[in-house]
């Protein structure tokens, strides 16, 4: 049973977050190991495994990048541990330029510039989310895989901005 089936959700990128959360809470209650605490070892172990599966499925489905990766995995495209390098030199140059810009902002400790940069990083991320949503909806799996690789760069950049924000605040 895949994550979408477990949560009784359609196999699509766009998900209803409140439905996902309410189903998660329901499944947590249903499969909580405490419900079978007085039963035999095998039943308790199965409950722990099911609870772990529910938690893993929820963490995967609630995160857009992980959800897209998972959808591709179901199509036979595993990006998790791949060693393939990005083949888009223009995108790679953009990423290098953005990293250099962030480093410069970090050195100057310019809050306003960091805020503007954060918005730029978020816009890049949002644009890629839209692209992957469209590619997945059109069953363009290889194109979606390329976009997910780019999304990972954009997500990492957003996390770096958060790290620098925390650094400047302390």
């Amino acid at each position: 049973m895949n994550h979408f089936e477990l949560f009784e959700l359609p196999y699509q990128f766009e998900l209803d977050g409140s439905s996902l959360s309410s189903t998660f809470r329901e499944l947590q209650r249903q499969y909580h190991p405490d419900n079978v605490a007085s039963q035999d070892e095998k039943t308790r172990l199965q409950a722990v495994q099911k609870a772990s599966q529910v938690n893993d499925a929820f963490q995967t489905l609630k995160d857009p990048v992980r959800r897209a990766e998972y959808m591709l995995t179901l199509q036979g495209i595993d990006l998790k541990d791949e060693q393939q390098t990005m083949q888009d030199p223009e995108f790679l140059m953009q990423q290098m330029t953005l990293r250099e810009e962030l480093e410069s902002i970090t050195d100057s400790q310019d809050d306003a510039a960091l805020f503007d940069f954060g918005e730029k990083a978020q816009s890049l991320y949002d644009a890629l989310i839209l692209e992957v949503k469209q590619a997945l909806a059109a069953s363009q799996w290889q194109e979606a895989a390329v976009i997910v690789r780019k999304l990972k760069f954009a997500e990492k950049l957003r996390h770096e901005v958060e790290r620098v924000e925390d650094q400047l605040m302390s």
Side-chain angles (χ1 to χ4, degrees), residues 8-35:
E8 297 178 356
L9 293 168
Y11 177 75
Q12 62 189 33
F13 182 74
E14 192 79 20
L15 296 180
D16 176 6
S18 63
S19 176
L20 178 66
S21 294
S22 64
T23 303
F24 173 62
R25 286 188 299 277
E26 180 183 316
L27 289 170
Q28 272 188 317
R29 278 192 297 277
Q30 183 179 346
Y31 295 112
H32 198 281
D34 289 348
N35 296 340

Side-chain angles (χ1 to χ4, degrees), residues 25-85:
R25 286 188 299 277
E26 180 183 316
L27 289 170
Q28 272 188 317
R29 278 192 297 277
Q30 183 179 346
Y31 295 112
H32 198 281
D34 289 348
N35 296 340
V36 294
S38 63
Q39 295 190 19
D40 64 87
E41 180 72 23
K42 182 180 177 187
T43 303
R44 290 194 312 262
L45 180 59
Q46 287 173 334
V48 167
Q49 289 172 334
K50 192 65 171 187
S52 176
Q53 179 188 11
V54 166
N55 286 329
D56 181 52
F58 179 69
Q59 294 304 318
T60 298
L61 293 177
K62 79 173 187 174
D63 179 273
V65 177
R66 288 180 63 185
R67 181 170 59 245
E69 261 188 312
Y70 181 72
M71 289 179 73
L72 290 171
T73 300
L74 293 177
Q75 296 302 319
I77 302 170
D78 189 6
L79 301 179
K80 275 262 189 252
D81 299 316
E82 76 171 4
Q83 299 300 315
Q84 183 171 339
T85 58

Side-chain angles (χ1 to χ4, degrees), residues 2 5 7 13 34 39 43 48 51 55 61 64 67 74 84 90-92 98 142 145 147-148 150 152-153 155:
N2 72 44
E5 292 167 347
F7 278 77
F13 182 74
D34 289 348
Q39 295 190 19
T43 303
V48 167
N55 286 329
L61 293 177
R67 181 170 59 245
L74 293 177
Q84 183 171 339
E90 187 178 315
F91 181 79
L92 290 173
L98 289 170
Q142 293 301 326
I147 299 165
V148 168
K150 291 178 180 182
K152 287 180 170 187
F153 277 96
E155 185 175 50

Side-chain angles (χ1 to χ4, degrees), residues 150-165:
K150 291 178 180 182
L151 254 172
K152 287 180 170 187
F153 277 96
E155 185 175 50
K156 200 178 220 178
L157 184 63
R158 287 175 53 227
H159 290 300
E160 277 297 303
V161 170
E162 290 172 8
R163 185 189 61 75
V164 172
E165 285 172 345

